[in-house]
Each structure stands twice: as structure tokens, then as C-alpha cells.
Amino acid sequence: MGESGQRSGIRRLVRMCATPGILLLLVLIHPGVGQVRDDDDFLSLGELPETFPSDPPEPLPHFLFEPEEGYIVKNKPVNLYCKATPATQIYFKCNSEWVHQKDHTVEERVDENSGLVVREASIEITRQQVEELFGPEDYWCQCVAWSSAGTTKSRKAHVRIAYLKKSFEQEPLGKEVSLEQEVLLQCRPPEGIPAAEVEWLKNEEIIDPAEDRNFYITIDHNLIIKQARLSDTANYTCVAKNIVAKRRSTTATVIVFVNGGWSTWTEWSVCNSRCGRGFQKRTRSCTNPAPLNGGLPCDGPAIQKLACTTLCTVDGVWTDWSKWSACGTECTQWRRRECNNPAPKNGGKDCEGLVLQSQNCTDGLCMQSSLFQKSTEPKEKNDLGFTSAPSTDDVALYVGIVIAVIMCLVISVIVALFVYRKTHRDFDSDIIDTSALNGGFQSVNIKTARSADLLTAPPDLTNAAAMYRGPVYALHDVSDKIPMTNSPLLDPLPNLKIKVYNSSGLVTPQDDLGGDFTSKLSPKVTQSLLDNSDSMNLRNQSLARTRDPSCTAHGSFNNQGGHLIVPNSGVSLLVPAGAVPQGRVYEMYVTVHRKDSLRPPVEDIQTVLSPVVSCGPPGALLTRPVILTIHHCADNDQEDWLIQLKNQLAMGEWEDVVVVGEENFTTPCYVQMDSEACHILTETLGTYCLVGQSVSKAAAKRLKLAVFGPVSCTTLDYHIRIYCLDDTQDALKEVLQMETQMGGKLLDEPKTLNFKDSTHNLRLSIHDVPHTHWKSKLIAKYQEIPFYQVWSGSQRTLHCTFTLERLSSATTEISCKLCVRQVEGEGQIFQLSNTLEEEVQCIDTSLMDPASSITTLVGPNAFRIPLSIRQKLCGSLDAPQTRGNDWRMLAHKLRLDRYLNYFATKSSPTGVILDLWEAQHFPDGDLNELAAVLEEMGRHDSSLTSMSMDH
């Protein structure tokens, strides 16, 4: 073919080409177009056909096989392969440069089914080629295929030099741990391409967490032993491997030791002395469990001895006989003796013999009956024809008749009194007492008490000098009995002894009054003060919420979540989006229980730190944890406390859920303690309460002190009540509501007192009473509430009463000081100044209003962080980062990193952390602060920043 023919063929080919890239290739491969040195190195136009068919048109090439990523192991080259159809030509381009034709291996065949040309190409990439590349990108190659319709490019296939360094970035370290302790073995594999896979060996056997669920391998390749067992004592090795090599870390030896534990004490032995002083002992052994693997031995003695005194037995001895009695009617005289010389004691023997002895006193002229024997002889007549003195049988008969007559008279009187009382039941009567010194009654007129202010007749703890116990009732008709002091307000210290100190320093124990005042309350007030039974079902709980909305919130929630808030109580339930399964709707509730009987029982050294709160419905299936927020009264320094979260079972018993700070993989809850509130993350709805135990004398719980008096005073007596409450919002709210319903008002702003575990009582005293107008009925200098009554927290409305008496009804002003302090501890002083006729409440009592805030928020509006931003943060922070600026740093910045393993077990650790942030900062969380935290982490989220600015 001549040069003109070649050019004609080129022009036809150019007209068929769809892209400039084909033209460029033709320029490179045609020997007459470009000035090249060696024609053999390029394509020859003789290989191209003279003409190309135009009908039907060929489609664009498509790849049947694209080149794949490759790694050069040592010096072995990588083969890249591609296949396309229909393809007239197929070549590789590497790093934007065409690979020479001679470096290709090209094969061509015709597909039998479609009749199209299928071309295959492969090249080899050597280590030298990859190493000679300079630039930010890795070495890459791409396959390009041509047809008459145009060109098609494959994906880029990167070729990297595979390696695996020898040194681990972090190797596991051996540990000695106690039984059931959580163990963390850290491992950061050597740097390598491709990234090394990690597996753990236990005594050279591969650990499979699917088979042994006590093991857990985190996404950071760390090994966690959830609860160390004796069988977990072994050598652990971290193994990293990729296609180049396999590396082994140094072996970490984990030794699980068992500290010795004492068995229970045996029973005390009998006293080794039969009479007098001796000792008895009991023993225990260090076998529960015995120390293993270097565990500590038991601390303390194995034997205890106790001094004992055995009382010596004393046998009874008779006294001397008494003198003979005068001769009796039966010609018999008696004498007696007593078994008390000495009397038998401590199991000694009784005296043997007769107590009474008789003898004939007329030398046998009279018939004598034997000792304790009745006469059976007929009565003899004397010389005048009369019978002799009556016998013993006759005397017994006469005595029996007299007793029968007396019993009949007594029964008749009782029946008459019963009839009289029944017929006069509606009569009015007065009950008058002379204060607690004369039996514990207050001066109360039944007729007027039913309409008068109930607060005019509280229990008076100020005049009592003797010990008395309630309940005390009026001794009148049953229908007019007034239980004196059983209302929550008028029962300051139920079952509580109060020490009253007089001016001479004499200590006189005094009990509080008992009784039941609820019969005097309206049904509305009574119902608000009573809780339902412990076994209330969901329907009854719903009814209870309807009756008392101030301590209950409820609403319907779906997969979008929401927030339940009990107004002004510090109690709320956050239901995150996704917690309720898709397609389901739950009727959820949260309620604060106010009945003392529902609070968990505590030991002497324990104290209730929060209200009892229920959330439900129980047994509901949740796919992520909800967050229950409860106020507590523990002092800020948690190192002085051992705080337990308790849960009430269906039968009413309480069980320990978790000790705060000791969470592990087996605990169903996580507790985040703040200064005033705790946030419980749980997937189990139920009834919860915090119980604390001090571990040092510096431990303190916060008390809220509130002083109340009557709104108006129509009598001469003025009663001041001082409440000592746990410092939680709901406790103060409850007392405010009760006092308002009963006609009381706050006399001063409530104050906070830190009450320490020093076993010292709480002392209350009144000072600076204007004696020209008032006098105090307190005959002592002060009152004291025992330490345990305050510390246990088992009584919600614990309070004391001071009674002041006006000297004139014209007095309308009162001013005095009240001092409340712990003996050898902190104290507070209330400056009281009040006008008796003034009914205006000067103190803020917004806590009483049950509708003072929203109780239910549903859907996205319940959360500060919009859903789209939240999803973006989770997607960005959930994956671990080499720089560490992932969810772990977020938890650290937000001070939520006390137990990171809890978040690590969740599908989205970031989501749970953000849920906890929402609960902590409800309702006014500052998004600017959250955005600032993300910027500190190097996560510049413009969406969150702009969104926070909008808010």
C-alpha cells in the first residue's frame, strides 16, 4: 500500500473515532506521522483493515474484568489483567503514562454467543517501577479499551509494596488480678501494608470470642476478659499478620489470684466455767475462699474470745417453822415455813417437804381432818340441839354464791353502760388534756376541731418530760375518737425518741405522738398524701398518675423518642431516637413514689440518697439504653461514698444492681454521677433508688431545712415546724404542697446543711423570743433528732415542732431565731419575722405547681442536637482514628470517660455519649460548648457551629 493509501485509511479511521484519545494513539503508532527511531516498537498500519463496517454500529467497550489492587511481596512482580468487549484495541496506562506495547501481553478472540471481539491484556509491575515513582499518590494503573463507538476506562488499580514492621507499637503487659475483676490487655500491631490482622493466643491456642463470651476483642485490637476466672490464668500473645509476614508480641502472663475470705463464725462455745467467771470462744477459717495464686490471706483473727460469767446454782432452804396458830373451829392449829432461806436461784433445787403443818389442839376430843382433806363426817349437835360451826364445804358454798351475785351485778352494769353510750352517741363532748406532761393530749374541742384550722392542734413536743408512745386516743365514744397525730404534718417524728434537755442538763427521753389524722382531712387531701399498694398494675398506675400529676409524667413514644419530665422534681426519662423498636408505640411513664413504706430498707450504716422512682412499662423491649435522671443528696466528694443502685423486684424485694464506679460487662446499668443528679443508662425499665454507705467520716449528705408556720392563727398558740429533708427537689416540693393544703406557709427561704456521718445528733433550738409578748412552751434548752433518724433517710417528711404562746390576743407580730445544727458540725440560723394576720406567701413556692412546666416532649423537638447533625457526628466519630480524635476523646472532653468500655460495647458509642450529654444539660444545653469541644478535637463541623449560632 502506498503512502496515499495509508493516509486515506487513516482519514477513514479518524472519522470513525469518537474521542481525541484515539487520534492521539494513532499519531503515536503510525510510522509516517511521527518521527520515531524504531518502527518495530510501534503498531503497524498494516494491521488495520482498509475499511470498517458501518452497519450495525459497535457499542462502547465494557470491561468483563477490571484490574485489581495488588501488593508487591518482596521482589515478586504484580500481574495486572483486564478484559473488554467489543474492543479493537486494549492497553494499560500507569500513572497517566501509556505502557509500551511490548510490555503488554494481548490476546484476542471472538465471543461465540455475541460475535463481538473480546480482547485481554496483562502487564507486570516490578518493585523497581513502584519505588521510582515520586509523588503524593501511590502507583496506579488503568486499562483503556477502544471500539468504533469510542473508549472506556477501567477503575484505577493501585500497586503498593507490601511490608510489616517488626516492632509492635504497643505490646500487652502481664497482670495480676483478683477473681472476677475485669482485665484489659492492650495491643497495637506493627505498621504495615496491607494493615495487619490481629488475633490473640491463650497458651498458644487461638481465642474465639464467639465460643467463650468471657473474652471480647475491641475494634482497637485490645483483649478484654470480662470477669477473670481461675482458668484465665495463662500466657497471652498478640499475633499480627498480613501477606508479607507474621509477628508475635511478647507474652503477657495473667495471674488470677484469689484473696482469702473468712468462713462464717461458729456458734459460741459454752462457758468453760460452771460457776463464776470464765470465757467462751468461737472460730472461723480462711476457706471462703482459700487464698490462691498469691492472693492475700484473711485479715483479722481466726478466734474470738468473750468473757462470761456463769451464775452459780443456789438450792432452796426452808426457814424455821412459825409459831402455832390459835386453835381453830375444827380443833386444829397450823404453822408454816417458807423456802427462801435462801430461795432457789439459777436452776437450784426447790425445798422438799410441806409448807403447812397442822396438829390437833384438844388432845383428840375433836375430829381432825388430815392436811388439805375435807371433812366427810355428819355435823354433830351440841347439848342444846344446834349444829356445830359450819364445815369447810359450807364456807366454800357461801363464797361461791357471793361471787356469782357480784358477777351478775358487774354484767348488768356493763350492759347498761353499753345501752347508754349507744343512745347518746350523737351528743357533743369535749376532750380536755393538760398537755403532754399529763398523758400526751392537746386541748381539743371535738365540735370545733372539725371546722377549725387543723394546725392549731399539733403534737406538742415542748412540754413533755416523761416518755409516752402513740397512738393516743380520746376516751370517748368510738365515733368521736380523734387520732391525734398521724397526718404527715402533725407526726413530726413517728416512732422516734427525742431527747429534751432542761436547764440543769438532765436528759429526759420523749416519744412522739402517734395516731391517725387522716379522718379529719378532705378526700382530696387524703388522696394526695397516700400512695397505692406496691403491687399496683399498669392500669392502677395510670389512675394514680391521673390523681396526682405533680409526681408523674406519661406519654406515647415511637421510634423517634422523646423526653418525660416530672415537673420541678429533678426526675426525668430521656428516650433516645431508636430506643423504641421500629413500628412500635409504647405508653411510657415515670413517677416518684412518696410513701415511706416503698423506700428500700437500709442498714445502720446506710442511707437513702434519692427518691424512689419508677419508669415503665416494665418488660418493654428497648434497642438502646434510655436515661433516667434522679436528683440525689450525696455530697460532691464521691471518694467518701460507696453508692449502690437498687432495683425493686415484682414481689417488692429490693436487689443490688450495680455499685457506682464498679461497672463491668455483666452489669445491666451504667450510672453517671453529677454533683446534684445521677443519670442511669439502662435498657430495663423498673423501680430504682440510690442507697449510699459512707467509707469515711468525711462523708456528708445534703439536708434541706424548711421552716413553716400557719397562714393565720386564731388561737394563742403558734406552732413552728422545721423540716429536715433530703436535699432533692421532690422532697421540698412534696412538703410545700402538703403545707399549702393544710394551711401552712414558708417563714424563711429553705437552707442547705451538710450532715456528716459523725454519729452526732441534729440539734434544734429557738432564741430571741420577745418575752414581753410571747413565751415558749419548750421547758428544755433544745430538742435533738437522733443521728440515725436523719442519716437513714427512711422518713421523707421528718420534722420537729416548737410551740409559742401569745400572752395577748392583740399581739400580731412575731420575731425570733431558729438554730439548726449538727452537734460538733455545721449549722444554719433562720431569722423569722412574721405578721400573724398576713396571709400572703412571700417565699417562692413555684415548686408546688404541678403544671409549671411541660411534662412530655415527643419526637426530634425533644433533643437539642438535630437528627441530621447527630447522624453526621456518629458517622465521623464512631470509627477509631489513629490520632485518637474519635468518640473516646469526645467522652474525655465531656468528662464521661470513667468507664469507656460501656460505650465501646454499643453499636454507636458516639450516639450514647450524645444521649448522656442531652440528659445532663436538659433543657438548656449549650450547643456552642459542644461545638467548641469538637473544634478542640480537630473536628471542624460547620453544620454544628452554624446550628448552635442559630440557637
Side-chain angles (χ1 to χ4, degrees):
M1 180 184 298
E3 183 177 347
S4 62
Q6 293 177 357
R7 291 176 179 174
S8 175
I10 291 174
R11 284 194 295 272
R12 289 195 299 271
L13 183 58
V14 168
R15 285 195 298 272
M16 296 175 62
C17 294
T19 62
I22 302 297
L23 180 60
L24 175 62
L25 182 61
L26 292 176
V27 171
L28 292 175
I29 65 176
H30 191 267
V33 177
Q35 299 298 321
V36 296
R37 293 189 302 270
D38 191 354
D39 294 342
D40 295 334
D41 292 341
F42 293 90
L43 294 174
S44 173
L45 287 179
E47 298 178 3
L48 298 176
E50 287 289 339
T51 61
F52 293 89
S54 60
D55 190 25
E58 286 184 330
L60 280 172
H62 71 275
F63 283 93
L64 302 177
F65 191 89
E66 296 186 77
E68 296 180 343
E69 304 281 327
Y71 296 95
I72 296 177
V73 179
K74 297 182 179 179
N75 293 321
K76 185 177 180 181
V78 172
N79 185 275
L80 300 181
Y81 169 79
C82 65
K83 182 196 298 185
T85 184
T88 57
Q89 298 293 339
I90 185 169
Y91 288 99
F92 274 94
K93 179 190 288 186
C94 293
N95 300 316
S96 302
E97 295 182 0
W98 293 102
V99 179
H100 205 282
Q101 175 190 1
K102 68 179 182 179
D103 295 329
H104 287 77
T105 300
V106 180
E107 295 183 3
E108 177 185 346
R109 63 182 178 85
V110 177
D111 188 275
E112 297 178 355
N113 296 325
S114 63
L116 299 176
V117 177
V118 178
R119 285 185 179 272
E120 304 173 4
S122 63
I123 60 173
E124 283 190 350
I125 306 299
T126 65
R127 183 187 185 99
Q128 181 180 359
Q129 289 176 276
V130 176
E131 289 177 341
E132 288 176 353
L133 176 68
F134 294 96
E137 277 193 298
D138 291 332
Y139 193 97
W140 61 269
C141 291
Q142 189 178 38
C143 196
V144 183
W146 290 266
S147 74
S148 59
T151 62
T152 302
K153 296 180 180 180
S154 72
R155 66 167 177 259
K156 291 181 179 180
H158 292 86
V159 179
R160 301 179 180 89
I161 297 175
Y163 70 94
L164 183 63
K165 291 185 177 180
K166 293 184 178 181
S167 300
F168 280 73
E169 294 185 8
Q170 184 173 12
E171 293 188 291
L173 301 176
K175 296 184 178 182
E176 293 184 0
V177 297
S178 62
L179 191 67
E180 297 184 352
Q181 181 180 338
E182 183 180 284
V183 183
L184 173 63
L185 297 178
Q186 294 180 316
C187 175
R188 293 177 63 187
E191 181 184 343
I193 295 179
E197 298 178 356
V198 174
E199 62 184 14
W200 283 86
L201 302 180
K202 175 184 176 182
N203 292 337
E204 302 303 321
E205 294 184 2
I206 297 176
I207 296 175
D208 185 1
E211 294 182 359
D212 190 344
R213 296 188 179 276
N214 196 43
F215 292 104
Y216 178 78
I217 299 177
T218 67
I219 56 178
D220 298 336
H221 311 302
N222 298 329
L223 176 65
I224 294 177
I225 305 176
K226 299 177 183 178
Q227 285 186 308
R229 304 161 299 192
L230 288 175
S231 59
D232 294 327
T233 299
N235 294 323
Y236 292 86
T237 308
C238 180
V239 178
K241 61 182 179 180
N242 64 5
I243 59 177
V244 178
K246 184 176 182 180
R247 311 292 187 204
R248 292 168 58 96
S249 70
T250 57
T251 298
T253 302
V254 174
I255 299 176
V256 181
F257 63 85
V258 179
N259 292 328
W262 288 112
S263 64
T264 57
W265 288 102
T266 60
E267 296 293 332
W268 287 103
S269 64
V270 296
C271 196
N272 65 343
S273 174
R274 294 186 178 183
C275 179
R277 294 183 59 83
F279 69 89
Q280 54 186 153
K281 67 177 181 179
R282 61 176 182 174
T283 61
R284 58 180 178 175
S285 59
C286 190
T287 57
N288 188 31
L292 290 174
N293 297 335
L296 297 175
C298 299
D299 184 19
I303 300 176
Q304 278 188 346
K305 291 186 178 181
L306 185 67
C308 58
T309 301
T310 304
L311 298 176
C312 302
T313 59
V314 178
D315 295 335
V317 178
W318 291 112
T319 61
D320 295 335
W321 287 104
S322 65
K323 295 181 179 181
W324 288 103
S325 66
C327 193
T329 56
E330 295 184 356
C331 302
T332 304
Q333 59 183 172
W334 302 81
R335 68 175 181 176
R336 65 179 295 131
R337 59 181 177 176
E338 302 290 341
C339 187
N340 58 7
N341 187 32
K345 291 192 300 183
N346 307 324
K349 298 179 181 179
D350 288 332
C351 302
E352 295 182 359
L354 299 177
V355 177
L356 296 176
Q357 191 179 51
S358 66
Q359 70 177 9
N360 190 286
C361 55
T362 56
D363 297 329
L365 298 179
C366 296
M367 298 296 296
Q368 173 174 356
S369 59
S370 62
L371 185 64
F372 303 119
Q373 182 180 355
K374 296 181 180 179
S375 175
T376 58
E377 297 295 330
K379 298 176 183 177
E380 298 179 357
K381 293 184 180 182
N382 57 18
D383 296 338
L384 298 176
F386 296 101
T387 60
S388 61
S391 67
T392 304
D393 291 339
D394 296 333
V395 173
L397 177 62
Y398 298 150
V399 172
I401 293 174
V402 172
I403 292 176
V405 172
I406 294 174
M407 290 298 294
C408 291
L409 291 175
V410 171
I411 293 173
S412 300
V413 171
I414 292 175
V415 172
L417 286 175
F418 178 82
V419 174
Y420 174 81
R421 292 170 66 87
K422 187 172 184 181
T423 56
H424 292 74
R425 177 168 301 207
D426 297 331
F427 286 10
D428 292 333
S429 61
D430 292 340
I431 301 175
I432 304 298
D433 75 323
T434 59
S435 83
L437 290 174
N438 294 329
F441 288 83
Q442 286 289 336
S443 300
V444 180
N445 182 286
I446 293 179
K447 185 174 181 179
T448 59
R450 289 172 178 163
S451 58
D453 184 4
L454 296 179
L455 293 180
T456 61
D460 190 353
L461 298 177
T462 61
N463 293 334
M467 184 183 300
Y468 54 92
R469 291 186 179 272
V472 181
Y473 296 98
L475 302 179
H476 281 266
D477 182 59
V478 176
S479 64
D480 282 337
K481 257 181 207 172
I482 299 181
M484 296 298 293
T485 57
N486 201 31
S487 90
L489 285 180
L490 304 182
D491 185 11
L493 303 173
N495 300 325
L496 166 64
K497 289 184 179 180
I498 296 182
K499 297 179 182 178
V500 178
Y501 293 74
N502 56 30
S503 56
S504 64
L506 179 62
V507 182
T508 307
Q510 171 182 344
D511 268 10
D512 190 13
L513 298 178
D516 184 6
F517 217 122
T518 57
S519 61
K520 299 299 296 178
L521 303 179
S522 66
K524 179 180 179 181
V525 175
T526 303
Q527 189 60 49
S528 69
L529 299 179
L530 297 178
D531 288 344
N532 292 325
S533 65
D534 299 347
S535 58
M536 179 189 297
N537 57 29
L538 283 178
R539 182 176 177 217
N540 290 337
Q541 289 176 352
S542 178
L543 293 174
R545 295 195 297 273
T546 303
R547 287 194 298 267
D548 191 359
S550 65
C551 59
T552 300
H554 59 95
S556 300
F557 294 92
N558 57 16
N559 187 256
Q560 292 184 336
H563 214 146
L564 283 176
I565 308 101
V566 179
N568 301 314
S569 66
V571 175
S572 64
L573 179 67
L574 186 140
V575 183
V580 177
Q582 189 71 35
R584 296 192 181 184
V585 177
Y586 288 162
E587 178 70 21
M588 305 187 74
Y589 66 86
V590 58
T591 184
V592 183
H593 296 288
R594 290 180 170 175
K595 196 173 182 180
D596 287 340
S597 61
L598 294 180
R599 297 167 79 82
V602 294
E603 300 175 1
D604 291 346
I605 58 176
Q606 292 179 323
T607 177
V608 178
L609 295 177
S610 76
V612 178
V613 178
S614 292
C615 57
L621 174 64
L622 299 173
T623 55
R624 64 184 300 166
V626 298
I627 302 177
L628 179 63
T629 299
I630 308 175
H631 265 212
H632 66 82
C633 60
D635 193 40
N636 291 339
D637 193 356
Q638 296 180 20
E639 295 180 357
D640 299 327
W641 286 98
L642 179 66
I643 300 177
Q644 291 179 317
L645 177 66
K646 288 181 174 286
N647 175 41
Q648 189 176 36
L649 303 178
M651 300 303 294
E653 300 89 354
W654 288 87
E655 69 170 356
D656 296 338
V657 179
V658 63
V659 175
V660 177
E662 298 182 8
E663 294 90 344
N664 55 48
F665 278 88
T666 62
T667 52
C669 296
Y670 171 75
V671 181
Q672 176 69 33
M673 294 289 294
D674 292 342
S675 59
E676 295 183 354
C678 72
H679 309 279
I680 304 168
L681 285 76
T682 180
E683 297 179 20
T684 305
L685 302 179
T687 300
Y688 293 97
C689 182
L690 283 182
V691 173
Q693 177 178 329
S694 64
V695 295
S696 73
K697 293 298 181 182
K701 61 182 293 187
R702 299 188 310 275
L703 299 182
K704 183 67 73 174
L705 306 176
V707 182
F708 288 86
V711 172
S712 60
C713 184
T714 58
T715 65
L716 295 180
D717 286 345
Y718 187 81
H719 306 285
I720 301 174
R721 292 172 299 282
I722 305 98
Y723 287 83
C724 306
L725 312 170
D726 291 344
D727 186 17
T728 62
Q729 287 188 16
D730 185 71
L732 180 59
K733 171 184 171 182
E734 178 186 4
V735 170
L736 283 168
Q737 291 173 336
M738 288 166 45
E739 280 281 351
T740 301
Q741 291 169 345
M742 299 297 292
K745 69 173 182 179
L746 269 173
L747 300 181
D748 198 359
E749 291 285 351
K751 301 180 185 295
T752 302
L753 174 70
N754 286 332
F755 190 79
K756 289 191 175 183
D757 182 19
S758 61
T759 69
H760 290 297
N761 297 342
L762 189 68
R763 181 174 295 177
L764 304 93
S765 57
I766 189 166
H767 307 273
D768 298 344
V769 178
H771 297 291
T772 57
H773 302 288
W774 296 86
K775 72 173 182 178
S776 173
K777 287 191 173 183
L778 181 66
I779 60 177
K781 288 185 176 181
Y782 49 81
Q783 299 185 64
E784 277 193 358
I785 304 178
F787 168 82
Y788 175 72
Q789 293 290 338
V790 181
W791 184 257
S792 68
S794 58
Q795 296 171 242
R796 290 178 58 83
T797 56
L798 185 66
H799 66 282
C800 271
T801 302
F802 288 92
T803 301
L804 301 179
E805 181 182 358
R806 283 188 288 181
L807 301 181
S808 171
S809 58
T811 302
T812 59
E813 300 285 339
I814 181 172
S815 63
C816 61
K817 289 183 180 179
L818 275 176
C819 178
V820 182
R821 70 180 183 90
Q822 187 179 15
V823 178
E824 298 185 13
E826 294 185 14
Q828 291 285 4
I829 296 178
F830 293 88
Q831 182 67 54
L832 305 183
S833 180
N834 186 42
T835 301
L836 304 189
E837 304 300 329
E838 183 179 326
E839 299 187 7
V840 179
Q841 176 67 267
C842 301
I843 310 298
D844 180 20
T845 58
S846 58
L847 289 175
M848 295 184 300
D849 185 6
S852 60
S853 62
I854 299 173
T855 61
T856 305
L857 298 172
V858 179
N861 292 332
F863 309 101
R864 292 284 293 162
I865 306 174
L867 181 60
S868 58
I869 303 299
R870 179 191 186 88
Q871 292 174 343
K872 184 176 180 181
L873 291 175
C874 293
S876 175
L877 300 179
D878 280 346
Q881 302 293 324
T882 55
R883 293 195 304 163
N885 59 341
D886 48 24
W887 63 268
R888 294 167 296 183
M889 183 179 290
L890 177 65
H892 175 71
K893 294 288 186 182
L894 297 179
R895 295 185 178 90
L896 303 177
D897 56 344
R898 178 173 60 80
Y899 184 63
L900 287 177
N901 286 336
Y902 177 82
F903 303 109
T905 59
K906 304 303 176 185
S907 58
S908 175
T910 308
V912 180
I913 293 172
L914 295 178
D915 292 340
L916 186 51
W917 182 88
E918 293 268 9
Q920 282 184 311
H921 298 84
F922 178 82
D924 50 0
D926 190 349
L927 295 177
N928 290 318
E929 292 183 2
L930 185 58
V933 168
L934 293 172
E935 289 184 4
E936 289 179 10
M937 294 171 54
R939 297 285 187 166
H940 302 283
D941 194 325
S942 58
S943 299
L944 180 60
T945 305
S946 61
M947 181 259 303
S948 62
M949 294 176 62
D950 293 341
H951 283 69

